[in-house]
Amino acid sequence: MSELNLILLGPPGAGKGTQAQRLREDFRLPYIATGDMFRAEKEKGTELGKELAKYMDNGDLVPDELTIKLIMERINAPEAADGFILDGFPRTIPQAEALEAEMERLGRSITAVLLIEAPDEEVIRRISGRRLCVKNPEHVYHVDFDPPKHDEKCDFDGARLVQREDDAPEKVKRRLEVYHEQTTPLIDYYDERGLLRRFDGTRDKTEVHDHIRATLATLRLEETL
Ligand SMILES: [Zn+2]
């Protein structure tokens, strides 16, 4: 079987998390999300974890070298022998180049970069429409797509519904600006290398998932020819 070494890209709210979850189930690939990885390593209290804690506790960015080292440990582990799903890294071209060089040393390469896209106005609508129950934040609603039965009240417990501070439209717009600024060069970089595959995140989740699966099946077929 050929490897599926995948990178996920896309703005917040385009459904990247959902698709990652489904791909993990489909292909039994380890999911390497840098944020989670940092937190886990820190909790384990390893030497690397202690080094990470120094940056994280100060609110500083973790240096690329350290991030790459951790990612390569995961990529080189037996459970990633058939591939992996990388999310949250790379974010810059130097990071992408470093990853490429490290992969090459292992005799491996990136199979595809999956970009799940959605226009800004759609992302803003999706995220800023979210409402959470003040009693139980797992009770989640959306003013357009999944409204509560009674205005601004939780269906389960009648508690008040609120918008998370980060979900306010201005905050989402700012996040999108940062996303575009960082990711546009990276998208071009992978596009030039013929690795980029685009998916329409405004479509139904299952449709997007089917499209990704079909694309990956074609890639694997091409590889074996
Ligand atoms: Zn509730």
Side-chain angles (χ1 to χ4, degrees):
M1 190 177 72
S2 55
E3 292 174 22
L4 278 179
N5 303 326
L6 306 173
I7 293 174
L8 278 180
L9 289 180
K16 201 160 55 109
T18 308
Q19 297 304 330
Q21 184 60 41
R22 294 194 184 183
L23 286 175
R24 287 166 75 176
E25 287 161 12
D26 288 347
F27 299 105
R28 295 166 184 266
L29 298 175
Y31 177 59
I32 310 175
T34 44
D36 299 344
M37 188 180 72
F38 292 156
R39 277 187 293 276
E41 199 68 27
K42 195 182 142 186
E43 271 166 34
K44 275 193 274 173
T46 59
E47 281 309 309
L48 264 173
K50 283 177 197 158
E51 211 179 326
L52 275 171
K54 281 192 282 181
Y55 298 100
M56 294 167 73
D57 295 344
N58 284 329
D60 292 334
L61 279 178
V62 175
D64 285 358
E65 272 167 51
L66 198 54
T67 309
I68 286 269
K69 201 168 159 189
L70 269 169
I71 290 173
M72 294 317 293
E73 262 179 24
R74 295 284 305 275
I75 289 179
N76 214 4
E79 70 260 23
D82 294 331
F84 54 84
I85 305 167
L86 186 55
D87 188 0
F89 190 92
R91 289 191 197 275
T92 65
I93 290 175
Q95 289 177 348
E97 286 169 345
L99 177 67
E100 206 172 282
E102 289 294 324
M103 293 281 292
E104 220 164 83
R105 286 183 3 164
L106 299 179
R108 297 172 71 173
S109 58
I110 298 296
T111 314
V113 177
L114 313 178
L115 171 63
I116 302 168
E117 298 177 291
D120 285 3
E121 59 273 28
E122 175 68 16
V123 168
I124 294 166
R125 183 170 168 231
R126 284 183 182 186
I127 298 180
S128 65
R130 278 186 208 151
R131 296 293 180 273
L132 307 182
C133 169
V134 288
K135 264 193 192 161
N136 183 344
E138 278 172 28
H139 300 158
V140 182
Y141 301 84
H142 192 284
V143 291
D144 298 322
F145 312 129
D146 187 17
K149 291 195 186 81
H150 303 287
D151 261 2
E152 305 292 312
K153 291 229 163 62
C154 179
D155 289 352
F156 298 101
D157 47 39
R160 203 161 46 88
L161 300 181
V162 290
Q163 184 181 50
R164 257 185 16 177
E165 216 177 288
D166 280 349
D167 293 348
E170 319 78 65
K171 294 269 170 100
V172 181
K173 271 183 204 159
R174 182 64 201 132
R175 264 152 78 195
L176 282 169
E177 274 169 31
V178 173
Y179 166 78
H180 289 302
E181 215 177 279
Q182 279 191 332
T183 318
T184 305
L186 202 57
I187 292 171
D188 294 342
Y189 174 90
Y190 284 124
D191 204 10
E192 281 161 18
R193 280 159 181 71
L195 291 173
L196 193 76
R197 299 291 181 278
R198 293 173 186 270
F199 302 93
D200 182 356
T202 62
R203 286 164 64 188
D204 174 76
K205 282 171 188 164
T206 302
E207 267 180 72
V208 178
H209 176 231
D210 290 345
H211 185 194
I212 294 176
R213 283 189 60 133
T215 303
L216 294 179
T218 312
L219 278 176
R220 280 185 150 174
L221 201 64
E222 280 169 1
E223 244 179 47
T224 55
L225 289 176

